[in-house]
């Protein structure tokens, strides 16, 4: 068995030394450091009989042709947020290189199905505020009108930044042809949360990515003097909004595995001597089950109307953003679970709070699954992001087993 998980850890350190500094990873998409990371990746692949190219959206593909055109895709992203962690996204790519080496060796350059590694462009959206750029262009979900107008802090537009790396913005959706023979998509990622850490388990099979409902809720009351207005005569917008803060915990609890967050609260007039006239809060709700997500939203709306009535104020809602849950393929989840159990004693199934490129391949109809490895401190997008080296080695082994199982699955589904 030529798989060498220690080599993956060594190569991750090599990439960190090449593209990071004392503040963390600096591989922001479309920057010279990111281009350097891509050149490094190409070097790593140089000894393999793979065809490489950059697609219409700037995604990098390495293809090991098999007996069948039907392909197993292994995905990740070399791009990072500024001052990012050393593992987010690139673990998936570097582990994918190791799997290509193993598959190539085992099948003497000609596996039964085609195996392709993809490094998605600008997963993080750190520069233009729009995540999953390359994968959403490929899946077809990218909103062209919205993306065309995006600008970075220097005023450079996304189309201008793409031009620098040789990508024509108006053609990016042509990258969709890459999915033509895609029979399955697998992605390894650090968990970026504390679930596996709290369970003291190294690896987990991901059930899918959460659907999200994001709204602004505004309560409208009446400003009044804080000294002269008796308590029973107030129309206090803050009182109604404040009741929501406790209610969302009950809503989340009833939903099973959902989460709700009030992340922002602003008041008008916002002075110490006035009852609050207007209070705007934001609500972010997430669930893996679309029906349960809809119930959480309905319950929040009903509660807001009840609290408004109790306090003699008015409430209005405005949707900020929304995305459907993306449940992964049940058979691939089983394969992922089995691959983990052949590597460590216990597996755990968990949903993903953050979105990943896998949500886009899943949305495009490609059978998809992800594997998570434990994150120390339960933290990411920060230079302290870390995972035990022993766990990194385990995840490469388990992910390689998942690749083998998925290749056999692709063959069977022919
Ligand atoms: Zn990532």
């Amino acid at each position: 068995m030529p798989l060498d998980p220690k080599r993956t850890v060594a190569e991750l350190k090599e990439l960190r030394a090449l593209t990071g500094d004392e503040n963390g990873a600096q591989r922001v998409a479309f920057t010279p450091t990111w281009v350097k990371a891509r050149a490094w990746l190409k070097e790593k692949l140089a000894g393999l009989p793979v065809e490489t190219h950059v697609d219409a959206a700037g995604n990098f593909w390495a293809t090991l042709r098999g007996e069948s055109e039907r392909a197993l895709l292994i995905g990740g992203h070399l791009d990072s947020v500024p001052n990012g962690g050393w593992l987010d996204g690139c673990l998936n790519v570097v582990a994918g290189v190791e799997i290509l080496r193993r598959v190539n060796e085992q099948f003497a350059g000609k596996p039964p199905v085609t195996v392709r590694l993809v490094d998605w462009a600008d997963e993080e959206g750190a520069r233009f505020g729009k995540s999953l750029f390359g994968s959403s262009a490929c899946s077809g979900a990218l909103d062209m009108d919205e993306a065309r107008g995006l600008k970075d802090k220097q005023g450079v537009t996304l189309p201008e930044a793409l031009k620098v790396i040789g990508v024509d913005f108006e053609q990016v959706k042509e990258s969709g042809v890459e999915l033509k023979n895609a029979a399955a998509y697998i992605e390894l990622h650090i968990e970026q949360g504390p679930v596996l850490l709290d369970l003291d388990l190294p690896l987990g099979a991901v059930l899918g990515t959460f659907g999200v409902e994001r709204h602004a809720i505004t309560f409208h009351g009446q400003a009044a003097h804080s000294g002269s207005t008796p308590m029973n005569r107030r129309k206090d917008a803050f009182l109604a909004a404040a009741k929501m803060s406790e209610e969302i915990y009950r809503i989340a609890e009833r939903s099973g595995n959902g989460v709700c967050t009030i992340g922002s609260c602003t008041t008008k007039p916002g002075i110490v001597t006035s009852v609050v006239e207007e209070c705007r809060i934001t609500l972010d709700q997430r669930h893996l089950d679309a029906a349960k997500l809809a119930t959480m939203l309905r319950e929040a709306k009903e509660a807001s109307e009840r609290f408004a009535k109790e306090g003699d104020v008015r409430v209005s809602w405005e949707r900020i953003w929304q995305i459907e849950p993306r449940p992964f393929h049940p058979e691939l989840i089983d394969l992922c679970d089995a691959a983990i159990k052949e590597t460590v004693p216990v597996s755990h199934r968990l949903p993903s709070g953050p979105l990943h490129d896998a949500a886009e391949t899943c949305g495009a109809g490609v059978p998809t699954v992800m594997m998570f490895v434990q994150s120390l401190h339960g933290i990411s997008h920060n230079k302290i992001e870390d995972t035990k080296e022993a766990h990194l080695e385990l995840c490469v082994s388990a992910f390689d087993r998942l690749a083998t199982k998925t290749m056999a699955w692709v063959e069977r589904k022919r």
Side-chain angles (χ1 to χ4, degrees), residues 77 79 88-89 92 123-124 187 189 192 355-357 381:
H77 60 95
D79 78 288
D88 183 355
N92 343 358
E123 190 271 350
E124 298 287 3
E187 185 174 334
H189 210 284
Q192 303 176 286
L355 282 167
H356 293 285
D357 294 307
H381 285 189

